[in-house]
Amino acid sequence: MSVSIGIHDLSFATGEFVLSHAALAEHNGTDLGKYHVGIGQQSMSVPAADEDIVTMGAAAAAPIIARHGKSQIRTVVFATESSIDQAKAAGVYVHSLLGLQSACRVVELKQACYGATAALQFALGLVRRDPTQQVLVVASDVSKYELDSPGEATQGAAAVAMLVGADPALLRIEEPSGLFTADVMDFWRPNYREAALVDGQESITAYLQAVEGAWKDYTEQNGRPLEEFAAFVYHQPFTKMAYKAHRHLLNFCGHDTDADAIGRALGQTTAYNAVIGNSYTASVYLALAALLDQADDLAGRALALLSYGSGSVAEFFSGTVVAGYREQLRTEANRAAITRRTPVDYAGYRALHERAFPSDGGDHYTPAQTTGPFRLAGISGHKRVYEAR
Ligand code: CAA
């Protein structure tokens, strides 16, 4: 009999500050309806000066370690597209902040927003090889576009940590996966840039083509029929994108695109992304958390997940919700991660956006702003210095 493997626990963290789209609209004169209705966003998380992908990733993972211990974790996979170093994996800092055992492999993965799904799939393979081991997957990103660009309204920041193991308590991940890769320049960030470059409309088209391609492969691999899914969990650069994607999939399959039915299929997946903004690799797993936290009992039901990373790679796969999953949820902590953020005005956000460490190799300290469990104290001799608070 094959072992059941999947997501045993899931926890997330986000930035210290929040910028409302109302404040952004007031600054740039945009009709607020474009943000609230047109792209489906209310606000976006803004990291403090002493937060980054490492501090958020460690903050997301710490409650998982507190609940399950460290002894079975022999692999940490850190997925990000807002990497802080070209060589060293950000996960090594997380490993250190969490005090994980030295008998552990740590690696960083990249393929735009798809990276966390690659990490999850690799983790499933490792656990299949040795079901006594667990893999800690951390997906952490700060989404940053140019100030005053169309992409500015689709920024955000968050980290999701997932413990992957045998006999999971939340979601059993199933085979097959539907896969799709196409070489497109819809969104990218050359090594010398802080902010991403994007062709907005091209990126939406590329996403929709990837949904279609991944679904086509999923059906060719004898996946479940569309009707079997209780809900559809999409990567959400902005929440309206999930609606566009699902309508596209239904059209492609020759189904009705009734707005109420689409709302039922994915409405409960958007609550966290609508107020956190784009968190790149973490986004689809924040959508999963929002669904599990809000839905009536999903035990035994199949969920569809669609992961998309610009450039582009997509994967359509499914999972079955495990009986008793609700006892494992972190609903209160998840809501607190959102409500604890401090509102920042447009000027404050802009100053944080423009902040960068000098590259002179000197000692540069960051102001103490975060109220999270870990902080980036500064940079010294080109080395990032982290500390627990
Ligand atoms: N009231 C209601 N709706 C309004 C409105 C108003 N007053 N004004 C405009 N709208 C609607 C528009 O009709 C449009 O809706 P539809 O797409 O359904 O037609 C929507 O608001 C957005 O309007 P525009 O297309 O004119 O907006 P824009 O040119 O400013 O660009 C964007 C929007 C392309 C998403 C831009 O914010 C962007 O480039 N974002 C970054 C790229 C991105 O997120 N791409 C998504 C796919 S790529 C991906 O998924 C990977 C990733 O994470 C980056």
Side-chain angles (χ1 to χ4, degrees):
M1 205 178 85
S2 76
V3 201
S4 105
I5 304 174
I7 303 171
H8 191 48
D9 198 357
L10 187 157
S11 161
F12 75 78
T14 184
E16 180 70 19
F17 299 117
V18 57
L19 177 74
S20 71
H21 277 78
L24 180 62
E26 199 183 311
H27 162 78
N28 62 20
T30 298
D31 185 321
L32 192 52
K34 172 169 171 178
Y35 294 154
H36 284 180
V37 182
I39 61 171
Q41 290 302 127
Q42 299 287 328
S43 59
M44 52 199 187
S45 287
V46 178
D50 52 349
E51 290 177 327
D52 68 0
I53 55 166
V54 168
T55 63
M56 287 193 303
I64 289 185
I65 305 303
R67 187 186 274 177
H68 305 278
K70 309 167 181 174
S71 61
Q72 285 177 270
I73 299 174
R74 287 176 59 80
T75 304
V76 177
V77 190
F78 193 105
T80 189
E81 63 181 290
S82 37
S83 186
I84 49 159
D85 196 292
Q86 303 293 342
K88 179 166 176 153
V92 175
Y93 295 112
V94 171
H95 175 278
S96 165
L97 288 170
L98 298 176
L100 298 183
Q101 60 195 6
S102 59
C104 188
R105 60 169 79 81
V106 182
V107 71
E108 185 167 310
L109 279 187
K110 176 181 68 186
Q111 182 10 69
C113 308
Y114 168 73
T117 299
L120 174 61
Q121 293 294 343
F122 297 167
L124 298 175
L126 286 170
V127 176
R128 188 162 307 286
R129 200 170 72 167
D130 178 359
T132 66
Q133 296 186 20
Q134 294 175 327
V135 178
L136 180 64
V137 170
V138 179
S140 186
D141 268 305
V142 176
S143 160
K144 212 168 168 184
Y145 294 92
E146 294 280 5
L147 292 166
D148 302 316
S149 73
E152 186 177 20
T154 61
Q155 299 175 113
V160 166
M162 294 183 278
L163 189 64
V164 178
D167 292 324
L170 291 181
L171 192 68
R172 270 195 300 276
I173 304 294
E174 300 169 343
E175 290 174 27
S177 277
L179 304 174
F180 181 81
T181 289
D183 182 4
V184 284
M185 292 305 282
D186 59 329
F187 167 107
W188 68 107
R189 184 172 68 86
N191 286 347
Y192 48 83
R193 284 183 61 96
E194 274 278 306
L197 294 162
V198 65
D199 181 339
Q201 299 309 326
E202 166 73 12
S203 72
I204 293 173
T205 307
Y207 184 130
L208 297 179
Q209 277 170 357
V211 169
E212 192 177 311
W215 169 258
K216 238 171 122 225
D217 185 52
Y218 181 74
T219 55
E220 283 163 18
Q221 304 295 322
N222 299 314
R224 290 173 181 269
L226 211 60
E227 302 73 33
E228 280 187 20
F229 294 114
F232 289 78
V233 184
Y234 287 93
H235 167 59
Q236 294 172 14
F238 50 94
T239 64
K240 183 83 171 290
M241 190 67 225
Y243 289 82
K244 286 179 189 286
H246 198 53
R247 200 173 307 113
H248 188 83
L249 180 61
L250 292 177
N251 264 325
F252 180 75
C253 297
H255 286 245
D256 270 356
T257 52
D258 173 60
D260 290 344
I262 295 178
R264 281 195 297 279
L266 53 81
Q268 288 177 314
T269 68
T270 62
Y272 297 157
N273 284 296
V275 292
I276 286 175
N278 197 356
S279 55
Y280 291 161
T281 53
S283 161
V284 64
Y285 299 100
L286 279 182
L288 174 63
L291 173 68
L292 295 177
D293 282 347
Q294 295 178 97
D296 290 338
D297 198 4
L298 284 169
R301 306 292 306 276
L303 307 181
L305 290 98
L306 184 284
S307 180
Y308 174 73
S310 289
S312 72
V313 176
E315 181 159 346
F316 188 105
F317 63 108
S318 67
T320 299
V321 181
V322 178
Y325 76 98
R326 288 175 131 177
E327 282 145 46
Q328 300 292 322
L329 294 180
R330 299 176 176 275
T331 312
E332 235 174 83
N334 291 346
R335 290 186 179 144
I338 289 167
T339 55
R340 70 186 282 281
R341 295 173 302 171
T342 303
V344 65
D345 62 12
Y346 185 82
Y349 143 76
R350 204 169 169 109
L352 284 164
H353 193 287
E354 285 173 333
R355 230 190 115 78
F357 282 119
S359 56
D360 59 7
D363 295 339
H364 302 285
Y365 299 100
T366 46
Q369 293 180 339
T370 182
T371 56
F374 305 103
R375 66 182 295 270
L376 170 62
I379 187 166
S380 173
H382 297 295
K383 296 172 190 156
R384 292 170 94 87
V385 181
Y386 292 97
E387 63 189 20
R389 275 186 63 253

